[in-house]
């Protein structure tokens, strides 16, 4: 029996195909190990504070139906946020959208980083080396509204995030808009502040990427996940061709 790991990979096959499109999903799971009780109401594990709702199913469809290999997290962002740098103050959150996370107060940060964060990112680095992708999809979802900021409006169905490399995002923003969608340009979050995984594995290596944030009411159900997987796969493939053409 294989030892549990904080990640899983789909769609690689025996000989990973190089030069294609791959997907990374840092917040795909709400799993909390039994030895790390968070002290929160169980229903919060189904909330956006614990998991990017709809991302797991969408990424699975990208891998299994659209031939886009995927690297998925198997640990809740409440245990450790894999989409934060090791020294980020929110890598083990003590609050999220107005909810206190008592089990994280005084947490052993070095132990959690060594147990979850480093194996996840080491495996992701190996995954990228094995696939040598021409484009990386970083897939996330966002809630239509924050409980802690009821005045904040989030009209976008999808957002494209980026830090210094916006080459692929520029194409994707236009292509998603052509589908009749309201598209966020570095909204609802700015990739200039929150882009840890792509900064580390894409921008630092010069690999074009699409950091896609889908509003979670779009992909909460299986039909939406199938629709968005098809659309993302199509747009990512078109962006990859455009990037190749310069």
């Amino acid at each position: 029996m294989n030892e549990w790991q904080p990640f899983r990979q789909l769609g690689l096959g025996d000989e990973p195909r190089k030069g294609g499109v791959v997907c990374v999903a840092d917040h795909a799971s709400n799993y909390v190990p039994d030895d790390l009780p968070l002290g929160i109401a169980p229903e919060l594990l189904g909330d956006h504070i614990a998991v990017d709702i709809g991302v797991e199913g969408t990424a699975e469809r990208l891998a299994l139906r659209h031939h886009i290999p995927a690297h998925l997290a198997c640990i809740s962002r409440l245990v450790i946020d894999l989409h934060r740098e090791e020294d980020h103050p929110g890598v083990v959150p003590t609050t999220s959208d107005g909810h206190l996370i008592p089990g994280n107060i005084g947490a052993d940060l070095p132990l959690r980083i060594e147990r979850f964060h480093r194996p996840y990112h080491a495996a992701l680095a190996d995954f990228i080396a094995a696939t040598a992708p021409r484009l990386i999809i970083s897939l996330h979802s966002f809630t239509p509204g924050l409980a802690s900021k009821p005045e904040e409006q989030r009209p976008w169905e999808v957002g494209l995030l980026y830090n210094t490399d916006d080459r692929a995002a520029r194409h994707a923003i236009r292509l998603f808009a052509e589908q009749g969608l309201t598209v966020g340009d570095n909204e609802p979050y700015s990739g200039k502040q929150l882009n840890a995984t792509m900064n580390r594995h894409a921008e630092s290596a010069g690999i074009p990427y699409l950091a896609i944030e889908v509003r979670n009411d779009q992909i909460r159900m299986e039909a939406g996940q199938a629709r968005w997987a098809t659309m993302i796969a199509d747009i990512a493939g078109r962006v990859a061709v455009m990037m190749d053409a310069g």
Side-chain angles (χ1 to χ4, degrees):
M1 184 175 180
N2 293 331
E3 183 181 356
W4 180 87
Q5 295 286 348
F7 63 87
R8 62 189 179 102
Q9 296 173 347
L10 298 174
L12 282 176
D14 295 332
E15 291 292 332
R17 180 171 62 93
K18 293 181 179 289
V21 180
V22 300
C23 176
V24 178
D26 296 325
H27 296 152
S29 175
N30 66 352
Y31 173 68
V32 177
D34 290 341
D35 64 327
L36 293 175
L38 297 179
I40 61 174
E43 58 268 22
L44 288 178
L45 291 178
D47 191 69
H48 75 97
I49 70 169
V51 62
D52 276 2
I53 294 166
V55 160
E56 182 178 39
T58 306
E60 287 176 343
R61 283 166 172 77
L62 286 171
L64 302 178
R65 301 186 185 182
H66 299 283
H67 311 293
I68 295 177
H71 177 90
L72 290 79
C74 294
I75 192 77
S76 173
R77 63 191 301 177
L78 291 181
V79 174
I80 192 161
D81 197 328
L82 301 167
H83 189 42
R84 299 289 186 272
E85 295 84 1
E86 288 187 9
D87 60 354
H88 191 282
V91 70
V92 174
T94 54
T95 63
S96 184
D97 197 14
H99 297 281
L100 182 68
I101 318 298
N104 287 346
I105 297 172
D108 188 333
L109 297 183
L111 182 61
R112 291 205 197 180
I113 288 167
E114 189 66 29
R115 182 177 174 186
F116 306 117
H117 199 282
R118 288 179 182 164
Y120 176 86
H121 283 283
L124 177 53
D126 291 343
F127 172 82
I128 291 171
T131 54
R134 59 208 280 222
L135 181 73
I136 300 174
I137 298 168
S138 176
L139 187 60
H140 292 264
S141 71
F142 66 96
T143 183
L146 292 169
S148 58
K149 297 181 180 179
E151 74 286 354
E152 184 178 284
Q153 299 298 309
R154 290 180 158 186
W156 315 279
E157 286 97 355
V158 63
L160 274 295
L161 278 54
Y162 51 87
N163 186 6
T164 61
D165 184 358
D166 66 349
R167 294 174 294 163
R170 289 290 153 214
H171 293 301
I173 288 168
R174 174 177 54 81
L175 293 172
F176 277 113
E178 289 175 358
Q179 300 298 312
L181 298 168
T182 301
V183 185
D185 181 343
N186 254 348
E187 299 284 1
Y189 311 103
S190 172
K192 297 186 183 300
Q193 281 79 47
L194 296 175
N195 201 52
T197 297
M198 289 300 95
N199 286 343
R200 178 173 178 174
H201 296 282
E203 290 212 359
S204 65
I207 303 171
Y209 66 93
L210 296 175
I212 300 174
E213 287 270 1
V214 183
R215 200 174 66 206
N216 65 31
D217 60 339
Q218 299 286 304
I219 54 174
R220 185 177 292 271
M221 307 301 290
E222 289 188 4
Q225 293 166 16
R227 171 177 173 258
W228 275 87
T230 298
M231 182 163 47
I232 289 169
D234 175 64
I235 287 175
R238 292 160 67 188
V239 169
V241 171
M242 292 174 187
M243 297 300 300
D244 289 344

